Structure formats: C-alpha cells, structure tokens
Coordinates of all heavy atoms in Angstrom, one line a residue:
Y605 N 101.8 36.8 142.9 CA 100.4 36.3 143.2 C 99.8 37.0 144.5 O 98.7 36.9 144.7 CB 100.3 34.8 143.3 CG 100.6 34.1 142.0 CD1 101.7 33.3 141.9 CD2 99.8 34.3 140.9 CE1 102.0 32.6 140.7 CE2 100.1 33.7 139.7 CZ 101.1 32.8 139.6 OH 101.4 32.2 138.4
E606 N 100.7 37.5 145.3 CA 100.3 38.1 146.5 C 99.3 39.3 146.2 O 98.4 39.6 147.0 CB 101.4 38.5 147.5 CG 102.2 37.3 148.1 CD 103.2 36.7 147.0 OE1 103.5 37.4 146.1 OE2 103.6 35.6 147.3
E607 N 99.7 40.1 145.2 CA 98.9 41.3 144.9 C 97.6 40.9 144.2 O 96.6 41.6 144.2 CB 99.7 42.2 144.0 CG 100.8 42.8 144.7 CD 101.7 43.7 143.7 OE1 101.1 44.3 143.0 OE2 102.9 43.7 143.9
Y608 N 97.6 39.9 143.4 CA 96.5 39.5 142.4 C 95.9 38.1 142.9 O 96.1 37.1 142.2 CB 97.0 39.4 141.0 CG 97.6 40.7 140.6 CD1 99.0 40.7 140.3 CD2 96.8 41.8 140.3 CE1 99.6 41.9 139.9 CE2 97.4 42.9 139.8 CZ 98.9 42.9 139.7 OH 99.4 44.2 139.3
D609 N 95.2 38.1 144.0 CA 94.7 36.9 144.6 C 93.6 36.3 143.7 O 93.5 35.1 143.6 CB 94.2 37.1 146.0 CG 93.1 38.2 146.1 OD1 93.1 39.1 145.2 OD2 92.3 38.2 147.0
E610 N 92.8 37.1 142.9 CA 91.9 36.6 142.0 C 92.6 35.8 140.9 O 92.0 34.8 140.4 CB 91.0 37.7 141.5 CG 90.1 38.3 142.5 CD 89.3 39.4 141.9 OE1 89.8 40.5 141.9 OE2 88.2 39.1 141.5
L611 N 93.7 36.3 140.4 CA 94.4 35.7 139.4 C 94.8 34.3 139.8 O 94.8 33.3 139.2 CB 95.6 36.5 138.9 CG 96.5 35.8 137.8 CD1 95.7 35.6 136.5 CD2 97.7 36.7 137.6
A612 N 95.3 34.2 141.0 CA 95.8 32.9 141.7 C 94.6 32.0 141.8 O 94.8 30.8 141.5 CB 96.5 33.3 143.0
A613 N 93.4 32.5 142.1 CA 92.3 31.7 142.2 C 91.9 31.0 140.9 O 91.5 29.9 140.8 CB 91.1 32.4 142.8
L614 N 92.0 31.9 139.8 CA 91.7 31.5 138.5 C 92.6 30.4 138.0 O 92.3 29.4 137.4 CB 91.6 32.6 137.5 CG 90.4 33.5 137.7 CD1 90.6 34.7 136.7 CD2 89.1 32.8 137.3
L615 N 94.0 30.7 138.3 CA 95.0 29.7 137.9 C 94.9 28.4 138.6 O 95.1 27.3 138.0 CB 96.4 30.2 138.2 CG 96.8 31.3 137.2 CD1 98.1 32.0 137.7 CD2 97.0 30.9 135.8
Q616 N 94.5 28.4 139.9 CA 94.4 27.2 140.7 C 93.1 26.4 140.1 O 93.1 25.2 140.2 CB 94.1 27.6 142.1 CG 94.0 26.3 143.0 CD 93.8 26.7 144.4 OE1 93.5 27.8 144.8 NE2 93.9 25.7 145.3
S617 N 92.1 27.0 139.6 CA 90.8 26.3 139.2 C 91.1 25.8 137.8 O 90.2 25.0 137.3 CB 89.6 27.3 139.2 OG 89.8 28.3 138.2
G618 N 92.2 26.0 137.1 CA 92.4 25.6 135.7 C 92.7 24.0 135.8 O 93.2 23.5 136.8
P619 N 92.6 23.3 134.7 CA 92.9 21.9 134.7 C 94.3 21.6 134.9 O 94.7 20.5 135.4 CB 92.4 21.4 133.2 CG 92.4 22.7 132.5 CD 92.2 23.9 133.3
D620 N 95.3 22.4 134.5 CA 96.7 22.2 134.7 C 97.2 23.3 135.6 O 97.1 24.5 135.2 CB 97.3 22.1 133.4 CG 97.3 23.4 132.5 OD1 96.4 24.1 132.7 OD2 98.1 23.7 131.7
G621 N 97.8 23.0 136.7 CA 98.3 24.0 137.6 C 99.5 24.8 137.2 O 99.7 25.8 137.6
G622 N 100.2 24.1 136.2 CA 101.5 24.8 135.9 C 102.6 24.5 136.8 O 102.4 23.8 137.8
Q623 N 103.7 25.1 136.6 CA 104.9 24.8 137.5 C 104.8 25.6 138.7 O 105.5 25.3 139.8 CB 106.2 25.0 136.7 CG 106.4 26.5 136.4 CD 105.9 26.9 134.9 OE1 105.1 26.1 134.4 NE2 106.3 27.9 134.4
D624 N 104.0 26.6 138.8 CA 103.9 27.5 140.0 C 102.5 27.2 140.7 O 102.0 28.2 141.4 CB 104.2 28.9 139.7 CG 103.2 29.4 138.6 OD1 102.4 28.6 138.0 OD2 103.1 30.6 138.3
A625 N 101.9 26.0 140.7 CA 100.8 25.7 141.3 C 100.8 25.9 142.9 O 99.8 26.3 143.5 CB 100.2 24.4 141.0
D626 N 102.0 25.5 143.4 CA 102.1 25.7 144.8 C 102.2 27.1 145.3 O 101.5 27.4 146.3 CB 103.4 25.0 145.4 CG 103.4 23.5 145.1 OD1 102.3 23.0 145.1 OD2 104.4 22.9 144.9
Q627 N 102.8 27.9 144.5 CA 102.7 29.4 144.8 C 101.4 30.0 144.8 O 100.9 30.8 145.6 CB 103.7 30.1 143.9 CG 103.9 31.6 144.2 CD 104.9 32.2 143.2 OE1 105.3 31.6 142.3 NE2 105.3 33.5 143.6
A628 N 100.6 29.5 143.6 CA 99.3 30.1 143.5 C 98.3 29.7 144.6 O 97.6 30.3 145.1 CB 98.7 29.6 142.1
Q629 N 98.5 28.4 145.0 CA 97.7 27.8 146.1 C 98.0 28.5 147.4 O 97.0 28.8 148.2 CB 97.9 26.3 146.2 CG 97.0 25.6 147.2 CD 97.1 24.1 147.2 OE1 98.1 23.6 146.6 NE2 96.2 23.4 147.7
A630 N 99.3 28.8 147.6 CA 99.5 29.6 148.9 C 99.0 30.9 148.9 O 98.5 31.4 149.9 CB 101.1 29.6 149.0
A631 N 99.0 31.6 147.7 CA 98.4 32.9 147.6 C 96.9 32.9 147.8 O 96.4 33.8 148.5 CB 98.7 33.5 146.3
V632 N 96.2 31.9 147.3 CA 94.8 31.7 147.5 C 94.4 31.6 149.0 O 93.5 32.1 149.5 CB 94.2 30.6 146.7 CG1 92.8 30.2 147.1 CG2 94.3 31.0 145.2
K633 N 95.2 30.7 149.6 CA 95.0 30.5 151.0 C 95.2 31.7 151.9 O 94.6 32.0 152.8 CB 95.9 29.3 151.6 CG 95.5 28.0 151.1 CD 96.4 26.9 151.7 CE 95.9 25.5 151.1 NZ 96.8 24.5 151.6
K634 N 96.3 32.5 151.5 CA 96.6 33.6 152.3 C 95.4 34.7 152.1 O 95.1 35.4 153.0 CB 97.9 34.3 151.7 CG 98.3 35.5 152.4 CD 99.6 36.1 151.9 CE 100.0 37.4 152.5 NZ 101.2 38.0 151.9
A635 N 95.0 34.8 150.8 CA 93.9 35.8 150.6 C 92.6 35.3 151.3 O 91.9 36.2 151.8 CB 93.6 35.8 149.0
E636 N 92.3 34.1 151.3 CA 91.1 33.5 152.0 C 91.2 33.8 153.5 O 90.2 34.2 154.2 CB 90.9 32.1 151.8 CG 90.4 31.9 150.4 CD 90.2 30.4 150.2 OE1 90.7 29.5 151.0 OE2 89.7 30.0 149.1
A637 N 92.4 33.8 154.1 CA 92.7 34.0 155.5 C 92.6 35.6 155.9 O 91.9 35.9 156.8 CB 94.0 33.6 156.0
C638 N 92.9 36.4 154.9 CA 92.9 37.8 155.1 C 91.5 38.4 154.9 O 91.0 39.2 155.6 CB 94.0 38.5 154.3 SG 95.7 38.1 154.7
G639 N 91.0 38.0 153.6 CA 89.8 38.7 153.2 C 88.5 37.9 153.4 O 87.4 38.2 153.0
G640 N 88.6 36.7 154.0 CA 87.4 35.9 154.2 C 87.0 35.3 152.9 O 85.8 34.9 152.8
G641 N 87.7 35.2 151.8 CA 87.3 34.5 150.5 C 86.5 35.4 149.7 O 85.7 34.9 148.8
K642 N 86.5 36.7 149.9 CA 85.6 37.6 149.1 C 86.3 37.8 147.7 O 87.5 37.7 147.5 CB 85.5 39.0 149.7 CG 86.9 39.7 149.8 CD 86.6 41.1 150.4 CE 88.0 41.8 150.4 NZ 87.9 43.2 150.7
T643 N 85.4 38.0 146.7 CA 85.9 38.2 145.3 C 86.0 39.7 145.0 O 85.3 40.5 145.6 CB 84.9 37.5 144.3 OG1 83.6 38.2 144.5 CG2 84.7 36.1 144.4
G644 N 86.9 40.0 144.1 CA 87.2 41.4 143.7 C 86.4 41.7 142.5 O 85.5 41.1 142.0
K645 N 87.1 42.7 141.7 CA 86.5 43.2 140.5 C 86.6 42.2 139.3 O 85.7 42.2 138.4 CB 87.2 44.5 140.1 CG 86.8 45.6 141.0 CD 87.5 46.9 140.4 CE 87.2 48.1 141.3 NZ 87.8 49.3 140.8
M646 N 87.5 41.3 139.3 CA 87.8 40.5 138.2 C 86.7 39.4 138.1 O 86.2 39.0 136.9 CB 89.1 39.7 138.3 CG 89.4 39.0 137.0 SD 91.0 38.2 137.1 CE 92.1 39.3 137.7
L647 N 86.1 38.9 139.1 CA 85.2 37.9 139.1 C 83.7 38.2 139.4 O 82.8 37.5 139.6 CB 85.5 36.8 140.2 CG 86.9 36.1 140.1 CD1 87.2 35.2 141.2 CD2 87.0 35.4 138.8
T648 N 83.5 39.5 139.4 CA 82.2 40.1 139.6 C 81.6 41.0 138.5 O 82.5 41.6 137.7 CB 82.0 40.8 140.9 OG1 83.0 41.9 140.9 CG2 82.3 40.0 142.1
L649 N 80.4 41.1 138.3 CA 79.8 42.0 137.3 C 79.4 43.3 138.0 O 78.6 43.2 138.9 CB 78.6 41.3 136.5 CG 78.9 40.1 135.7 CD1 77.7 39.6 135.1 CD2 79.8 40.6 134.5
D650 N 79.7 44.4 137.5 CA 79.3 45.7 138.0 C 78.1 46.2 137.1 O 78.4 46.9 136.1 CB 80.5 46.7 138.0 CG 80.2 47.9 138.9 OD1 79.3 47.8 139.7 OD2 80.9 48.9 138.7
V651 N 76.9 46.0 137.6 CA 75.9 46.4 136.8 C 74.9 47.5 137.5 O 75.0 47.6 138.8 CB 74.9 45.3 136.3 CG1 75.7 44.4 135.5 CG2 74.4 44.5 137.6
D652 N 74.1 48.2 136.8 CA 73.2 49.1 137.4 C 71.8 48.5 137.6 O 71.7 47.3 137.4 CB 73.2 50.5 136.5 CG 72.6 50.2 135.1 OD1 72.3 49.1 134.8 OD2 72.7 51.2 134.5
G653 N 70.8 49.4 137.8 CA 69.5 48.9 138.1 C 68.8 48.3 136.8 O 67.9 47.4 137.0
E654 N 69.2 48.7 135.6 CA 68.7 48.1 134.4 C 69.5 46.9 133.9 O 69.3 46.5 132.7 CB 68.6 49.2 133.3 CG 67.8 50.4 133.7 CD 67.9 51.6 132.7 OE1 68.7 51.4 131.8 OE2 67.2 52.5 132.8
K655 N 70.3 46.4 134.7 CA 71.1 45.2 134.3 C 72.1 45.5 133.1 O 72.3 44.8 132.2 CB 70.3 44.0 133.9 CG 69.4 43.5 135.0 CD 70.1 42.6 135.9 CE 69.0 42.0 136.9 NZ 69.4 41.6 138.1
R656 N 72.7 46.8 133.2 CA 73.6 47.2 132.1 C 75.0 47.5 132.9 O 75.0 47.9 134.1 CB 73.1 48.5 131.4 CG 71.9 48.1 130.6 CD 71.5 49.4 129.8 NE 70.6 49.1 128.7 CZ 70.9 48.7 127.5 NH1 72.2 48.6 127.1 NH2 70.0 48.4 126.6
S657 N 76.1 47.3 132.2 CA 77.3 47.6 132.7 C 77.4 49.2 133.1 O 77.0 50.1 132.4 CB 78.4 47.3 131.6 OG 79.7 47.8 132.1
K658 N 78.0 49.4 134.2 CA 78.2 50.8 134.7 C 79.2 51.5 133.9 O 79.1 52.8 133.6 CB 78.5 50.8 136.1 CG 77.4 50.5 137.1 CD 77.8 50.7 138.5 CE 76.6 50.3 139.5 NZ 77.0 50.5 140.8
T659 N 80.2 50.9 133.3 CA 81.3 51.4 132.6 C 80.9 51.7 131.1 O 81.1 52.9 130.7 CB 82.5 50.5 132.5 OG1 82.8 50.1 133.9 CG2 83.7 51.2 132.0
T660 N 80.3 50.7 130.4 CA 80.0 50.9 129.0 C 78.6 51.1 128.8 O 78.3 51.4 127.5 CB 80.5 49.7 128.2 OG1 79.9 48.5 128.7 CG2 82.1 49.5 128.4
K661 N 77.8 50.9 129.6 CA 76.2 51.0 129.5 C 75.7 50.0 128.5 O 74.7 50.1 128.0 CB 75.9 52.4 129.0 CG 76.3 53.5 129.9 CD 75.6 53.4 131.3 CE 75.9 54.5 132.2 NZ 75.9 54.3 133.6
R662 N 76.5 48.8 128.3 CA 75.9 47.8 127.5 C 75.2 46.7 128.3 O 75.6 46.5 129.5 CB 77.2 47.1 126.7 CG 77.8 47.9 125.8 CD 78.9 47.1 125.1 NE 79.6 47.8 124.1 CZ 80.5 47.4 123.4 NH1 81.1 46.2 123.6 NH2 81.2 48.1 122.5
A663 N 74.2 46.1 127.7 CA 73.5 45.0 128.4 C 74.4 43.8 128.5 O 75.2 43.6 127.6 CB 72.2 44.8 127.6
I664 N 74.1 43.1 129.6 CA 74.9 41.9 129.9 C 74.4 40.8 128.9 O 73.2 40.6 128.8 CB 74.7 41.4 131.3 CG1 75.2 42.5 132.3 CG2 75.5 40.1 131.6 CD1 76.6 42.9 132.1
P665 N 75.2 40.1 128.1 CA 74.7 39.2 127.1 C 74.0 38.0 127.8 O 74.5 37.5 128.8 CB 76.0 38.8 126.3 CG 77.1 39.2 127.1 CD 76.7 40.2 128.1
T666 N 72.9 37.5 127.1 CA 72.2 36.3 127.6 C 72.2 35.3 126.5 O 72.0 35.8 125.3 CB 70.8 36.6 128.1 OG1 70.2 37.3 127.1 CG2 70.9 37.5 129.4
P667 N 72.3 34.0 126.7 CA 72.3 33.1 125.5 C 70.8 33.0 124.9 O 69.8 33.1 125.7 CB 72.7 31.8 126.1 CG 72.4 32.0 127.6 CD 72.6 33.4 127.9
N668 N 70.8 32.7 123.7 CA 69.5 32.6 123.1 C 69.2 31.0 123.1 O 69.5 30.3 122.1 CB 69.5 32.9 121.5 CG 69.5 34.5 121.4 OD1 69.1 35.2 122.3 ND2 70.1 34.9 120.4
I669 N 68.6 30.5 124.1 CA 68.2 29.2 124.3 C 66.8 28.9 123.8 O 65.9 29.6 124.2 CB 68.3 28.7 125.7 CG1 69.7 28.9 126.3 CG2 67.9 27.3 126.0 CD1 69.9 28.6 127.8
P670 N 66.6 28.1 122.9 CA 65.3 27.9 122.3 C 64.4 27.1 123.3 O 64.8 26.3 124.1 CB 65.5 26.9 121.0 CG 66.9 26.3 121.3 CD 67.6 27.2 122.2
E671 N 63.0 27.6 123.2 CA 62.1 27.0 124.1 C 61.0 26.5 123.2 O 60.4 27.3 122.4 CB 61.4 28.1 125.0 CG 62.2 28.5 126.2 CD 62.3 27.3 127.2 OE1 61.5 26.5 127.4 OE2 63.5 27.2 127.7
P672 N 60.6 25.3 123.1 CA 61.2 24.1 123.8 C 62.5 23.7 123.1 O 62.7 24.1 122.0 CB 60.1 23.1 123.7 CG 59.4 23.4 122.4 CD 59.4 25.0 122.4
M673 N 63.3 23.1 123.8 CA 64.6 22.6 123.3 C 64.5 21.4 122.4 O 64.0 20.4 122.8 CB 65.5 22.2 124.5 CG 66.9 21.7 124.1 SD 67.9 23.0 123.5 CE 68.3 24.0 125.0
P674 N 64.9 21.5 121.1 CA 64.9 20.4 120.2 C 66.0 19.4 120.6 O 67.0 19.8 121.2 CB 65.4 21.0 118.9 CG 65.3 22.5 119.0 CD 65.4 22.8 120.4
P675 N 65.6 18.0 120.5 CA 66.6 17.1 121.0 C 67.9 17.1 120.3 O 69.0 16.8 120.9 CB 65.8 15.8 120.7 CG 64.5 16.1 120.2 CD 64.4 17.5 120.0
Q676 N 68.0 17.6 119.0 CA 69.3 17.6 118.3 C 70.2 18.7 118.8 O 71.3 18.8 118.5 CB 69.1 17.6 116.7 CG 68.3 18.9 116.2 CD 66.9 18.6 116.2 OE1 66.3 17.8 116.9 NE2 66.2 19.4 115.2
L677 N 69.6 19.7 119.5 CA 70.5 20.8 120.0 C 70.8 20.7 121.5 O 71.5 21.5 122.0 CB 69.7 22.1 119.7 CG 69.7 22.6 118.3 CD1 69.0 23.9 118.2 CD2 71.0 22.7 117.7
A678 N 70.1 19.8 122.2 CA 70.3 19.7 123.6 C 71.6 19.6 124.0 O 72.0 20.1 125.1 CB 69.4 18.6 124.2
F679 N 72.5 18.8 123.4 CA 73.9 18.6 123.8 C 74.7 19.9 123.8 O 75.7 20.0 124.5 CB 74.6 17.6 122.9 CG 75.0 18.1 121.5 CD1 76.3 18.6 121.3 CD2 74.0 18.2 120.4 CE1 76.6 19.1 120.0 CE2 74.4 18.7 119.2 CZ 75.7 19.2 119.0
M680 N 74.4 20.9 123.0 CA 75.0 22.2 122.9 C 74.9 22.9 124.3 O 75.7 23.9 124.5 CB 74.7 23.0 121.7 CG 75.0 22.3 120.4 SD 74.6 23.3 119.0 CE 75.7 24.7 119.2
F681 N 73.9 22.8 125.0 CA 73.5 23.5 126.2 C 73.7 22.8 127.4 O 73.2 23.2 128.5 CB 72.1 24.1 126.1 CG 71.9 25.1 124.9 CD1 71.3 24.6 123.7 CD2 72.3 26.3 124.9 CE1 71.3 25.4 122.6 CE2 72.2 27.2 123.9 CZ 71.6 26.7 122.7
T682 N 74.3 21.7 127.4 CA 74.6 20.9 128.7 C 76.0 21.2 129.2 O 76.8 21.5 128.4 CB 74.4 19.4 128.5 OG1 75.3 19.0 127.3 CG2 73.0 19.0 128.0
K683 N 76.1 21.1 130.5 CA 77.4 21.3 131.1 C 78.3 20.1 130.9 O 77.7 19.0 130.9 CB 77.3 21.6 132.5 CG 76.7 23.0 132.9 CD 76.9 23.3 134.3 CE 76.4 24.8 134.6 NZ 77.5 25.6 135.0
I684 N 79.6 20.2 130.6 CA 80.5 19.2 130.5 C 81.0 18.7 131.8 O 81.1 19.6 132.7 CB 81.6 19.5 129.4 CG1 82.4 20.6 130.0 CG2 81.0 19.8 128.0 CD1 83.7 20.8 129.1
S685 N 81.2 17.4 131.9 CA 81.7 16.9 133.2 C 83.3 17.2 133.3 O 83.9 17.4 132.3 CB 81.3 15.4 133.3 OG 82.1 14.7 132.3
P686 N 83.8 17.0 134.5 CA 85.3 17.2 134.6 C 86.0 16.1 133.8 O 87.1 16.5 133.2 CB 85.5 16.9 136.0 CG 84.2 17.4 136.7 CD 83.1 17.0 135.7
E687 N 85.5 14.9 133.6 CA 86.2 13.9 132.8 C 86.2 14.3 131.4 O 87.2 14.2 130.6 CB 85.4 12.6 133.0 CG 85.5 11.9 134.3 CD 84.5 12.5 135.3 OE1 83.5 13.1 134.8 OE2 84.7 12.3 136.5
Q688 N 85.1 14.9 130.8 CA 85.0 15.4 129.5 C 85.9 16.5 129.3 O 86.6 16.7 128.3 CB 83.6 15.7 129.2 CG 82.6 14.7 129.0 CD 81.2 15.1 128.9 OE1 80.8 16.1 129.5 NE2 80.5 14.3 128.1
K689 N 86.0 17.4 130.3 CA 86.9 18.6 130.2 C 88.3 18.1 130.1 O 89.1 18.6 129.3 CB 86.7 19.4 131.4 CG 87.5 20.7 131.3 CD 87.4 21.6 132.5 CE 86.4 21.3 133.6 NZ 86.5 22.3 134.7
M690 N 88.8 17.2 130.9 CA 90.2 16.7 130.8 C 90.4 15.9 129.6 O 91.6 16.0 129.0 CB 90.4 15.7 132.1 CG 90.5 16.5 133.4 SD 91.6 17.9 133.4 CE 93.2 17.1 132.9
Y691 N 89.4 15.2 129.0 CA 89.7 14.5 127.7 C 89.9 15.6 126.6 O 90.8 15.5 125.8 CB 88.4 13.7 127.5 CG 88.5 12.9 126.1 CD1 89.3 11.9 125.9 CD2 87.8 13.5 125.0 CE1 89.4 11.2 124.6 CE2 88.0 12.9 123.7 CZ 88.7 11.8 123.5 OH 88.8 11.2 122.3
M692 N 89.0 16.6 126.6 CA 89.2 17.6 125.6 C 90.5 18.3 125.7 O 91.1 18.7 124.6 CB 88.0 18.6 125.6 CG 86.7 18.0 125.0 SD 85.3 19.2 124.8 CE 85.3 19.9 126.3
W693 N 91.0 18.6 127.0 CA 92.2 19.2 127.2 C 93.4 18.4 126.8 O 94.3 18.9 126.2 CB 92.4 19.6 128.7 CG 93.6 20.3 129.0 CD1 94.7 19.7 129.7 CD2 93.9 21.6 128.8 NE1 95.7 20.7 129.7 CE2 95.3 21.8 129.3 CE3 93.2 22.6 128.1 CZ2 95.9 23.0 129.1 CZ3 93.9 23.9 128.0 CH2 95.2 24.1 128.6
N694 N 93.3 17.0 127.0 CA 94.3 16.2 126.5 C 94.4 16.2 124.9 O 95.5 16.2 124.4 CB 94.1 14.8 127.0 CG 94.4 14.7 128.5 OD1 95.2 15.5 129.0 ND2 93.8 13.7 129.2
V695 N 93.3 16.1 124.3 CA 93.3 16.1 122.8 C 93.8 17.5 122.4 O 94.6 17.5 121.4 CB 91.8 15.9 122.3 CG1 91.7 16.2 120.8 CG2 91.4 14.5 122.6
Y696 N 93.5 18.5 122.9 CA 94.0 19.9 122.6 C 95.4 19.9 122.7 O 96.2 20.5 121.8 CB 93.3 21.0 123.4 CG 93.7 22.3 123.1 CD1 93.2 23.0 122.0 CD2 94.6 23.0 123.9 CE1 93.7 24.3 121.6 CE2 95.0 24.3 123.6 CZ 94.6 25.0 122.5 OH 95.0 26.3 122.2
T697 N 96.0 19.5 123.9 CA 97.5 19.6 124.0 C 98.2 18.6 123.1 O 99.3 18.8 122.7 CB 97.8 19.3 125.5 OG1 97.2 18.0 125.9 CG2 97.3 20.4 126.4
L698 N 97.5 17.5 122.7 CA 98.2 16.5 121.8 C 98.2 17.2 120.4 O 99.3 17.0 119.7 CB 97.3 15.3 121.7 CG 97.8 14.2 120.8 CD1 99.0 13.6 121.3 CD2 96.7 13.2 120.5
I699 N 97.2 18.0 120.0 CA 97.2 18.6 118.7 C 98.3 19.8 118.6 O 99.0 19.8 117.7 CB 95.9 19.2 118.4 CG1 94.9 18.0 118.2 CG2 95.9 20.1 117.2 CD1 93.5 18.4 118.0
F700 N 98.4 20.5 119.6 CA 99.2 21.7 119.7 C 100.5 21.4 120.5 O 101.3 22.2 120.6 CB 98.5 22.9 120.2 CG 97.4 23.3 119.2 CD1 96.1 23.0 119.6 CD2 97.7 23.8 118.0 CE1 95.0 23.5 118.7 CE2 96.6 24.3 117.2 CZ 95.3 24.0 117.5

C-alpha cells in the first residue's frame, strides 16, 4: 500500500475494511503527511477543453435526468444514506 496510496484510500472508504484495514489506514496517513492529501491519476479525470478524455477522446458520460422529475422516478436519483448502504451490504453478503 505504500506505493499505491490511492488504492489504500479507496479501500479505507469502503464499508468493510477487511483484515488489512490498519495497514491501509497507515498508508493513507503516510501519504497525507508526504503529499498533503493530493489525489493522483486514479481519482481524477484527465479531460481537454471540450470535456473529452485526453486518452480516448470520448465524452465524459452524464446521466439523463428528466426535467421535471416525475415523482415515481425520484427515488432512483437520490443519494443513499450510510445506513441504507450498510443494510444493502448486509443483504448482499447474506445472499452470497
């Protein structure tokens, strides 16, 4: 994790830290102390002036959100709370 501090940050933000959560947390703290908490290539988008990827020249996808929002679709575009996320994670792990 010392080489891939962004991977450690992603693992730490997950709902289950896994068995190496302490090692990932130590790598994140070390990276924040050395680099000031800057993000690297994995967590940023590299786009040009036309909002297209510099590598593939594809447009960055945007969601098709209807205007005005119908009440029967509003639940699909709301952010889930941490409690809902943990509930869904527990159901998922119960199934598999």
Side-chain angles (χ1 to χ4, degrees):
Y605 295 119
E606 290 82 16
E607 296 178 34
Y608 306 106
D609 55 336
E610 291 177 274
L611 179 61
L614 289 172
L615 286 174
Q616 185 184 10
S617 66
D620 59 339
Q623 65 271 18
D624 54 353
D626 296 332
Q627 186 181 7
Q629 188 174 13
V632 168
K633 287 181 182 177
K634 181 180 175 185
E636 286 176 353
C638 293
K642 64 176 183 171
T643 59
K645 290 183 178 181
M646 191 184 310
L647 300 176
T648 58
L649 292 174
D650 192 21
V651 295
D652 59 7
E654 298 176 355
K655 302 277 189 204
R656 293 186 168 268
S657 170
K658 288 184 179 178
T659 308
T660 62
K661 302 296 184 205
R662 291 183 178 177
I664 304 299
T666 56
N668 289 333
I669 299 175
E671 280 300 320
M673 179 68 70
Q676 63 268 25
L677 290 179
F679 75 96
M680 295 180 70
F681 297 98
T682 57
K683 288 190 175 243
I684 61 173
S685 68
E687 292 84 16
Q688 291 171 325
K689 184 180 357 177
M690 288 308 300
Y691 177 78
M692 289 190 303
W693 181 254
N694 288 335
V695 170
Y696 179 79
T697 56
L698 179 72
I699 293 171
F700 296 104

